[in-house]
């Protein structure tokens, strides 16, 4: 039996390219080049039947370390809380006021990109502070 070496994170969404480009900015990921024979993604999408246009988009870690992110259009909207979410680790190893300042700075950057701040989960006896947020389509994630 072989072990899994790589995995992809897949988002169901209404606007795959919009959500993908948001996550590119959050994580420092890059969008792929358009398929061979096409100068731009718009050119590629224009070549598809209307029902397939803008149906997916992907992005990847330019260093090759992080997982590929894949975004696929689905007809239904988000209804309930995510069962799985991403933790964007921006303050690893930091505590107290230094951690809070780092989290708040990243929160402000992400809000400017279209994210929504949901709430601060303050430090307790077991956990350091983190901020719960939503991406441009309401998918929950944390910055910690």
């Amino acid at each position: 039996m072989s072990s899994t070496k790589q995995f992809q994170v897949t988002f169901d969404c209404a606007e795959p390219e919009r959500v993908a480009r948001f996550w590119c900015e959050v994580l420092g990921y890059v969008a792929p080049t358009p398929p061979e024979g096409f100068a731009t993604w718009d050119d590629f999408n224009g070549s598809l039947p209307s029902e397939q246009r803008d149906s997916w988009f992907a992005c990847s870690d330019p260093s090759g370390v992080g997982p590929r992110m894949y975004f696929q259009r689905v007809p239904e909207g988000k209804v309930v809380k995510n069962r799985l979410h991403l933790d964007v680790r921006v303050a690893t190893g930091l505590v107290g006021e230094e951690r809070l300042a780092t989290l708040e700075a990243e929160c402000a950057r992400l809000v400017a990109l279209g994210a929504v701040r949901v709430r601060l989960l303050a430090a307790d006896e077991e956990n350091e502070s983190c901020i719960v947020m939503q991406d441009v389509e309401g998918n929950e994630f944390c910055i910690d």
Side-chain angles (χ1 to χ4, degrees), residues 8-17 19-20 54-58 69-76 137:
Q8 168 175 282
V9 177
T10 301
F11 284 73
D12 291 345
C13 53
E15 297 179 70
E17 185 172 352
V19 180
D54 301 312
S55 63
W56 65 273
F57 208 79
M69 309 280 279
Y70 183 80
F71 304 83
Q72 62 188 5
R73 186 177 62 218
V74 296
E76 67 278 358
E137 284 200 4

Side-chain angles (χ1 to χ4, degrees), residues 85-102:
H85 70 266
L86 302 181
D87 287 343
V88 180
R89 312 291 315 269
V90 298
T92 302
L94 302 178
V95 296
E97 292 303 316
E98 184 180 15
R99 182 180 182 85
L100 284 174
T102 299

Side-chain angles (χ1 to χ4, degrees), residues 83-133:
R83 294 289 306 250
L84 173 81
H85 70 266
L86 302 181
D87 287 343
V88 180
R89 312 291 315 269
V90 298
T92 302
L94 302 178
V95 296
E97 292 303 316
E98 184 180 15
R99 182 180 182 85
L100 284 174
T102 299
L103 293 174
E104 292 295 348
E106 183 66 0
C107 180
R109 183 180 82 85
L110 300 181
V111 166
L113 295 173
V116 174
R117 179 191 179 117
V118 175
R119 70 183 170 281
L120 170 69
L121 297 176
D124 59 26
E125 300 80 35
E126 296 177 26
N127 301 296
E128 288 297 332
S129 298
C130 70
I131 299 176
V132 179
M133 303 194 68

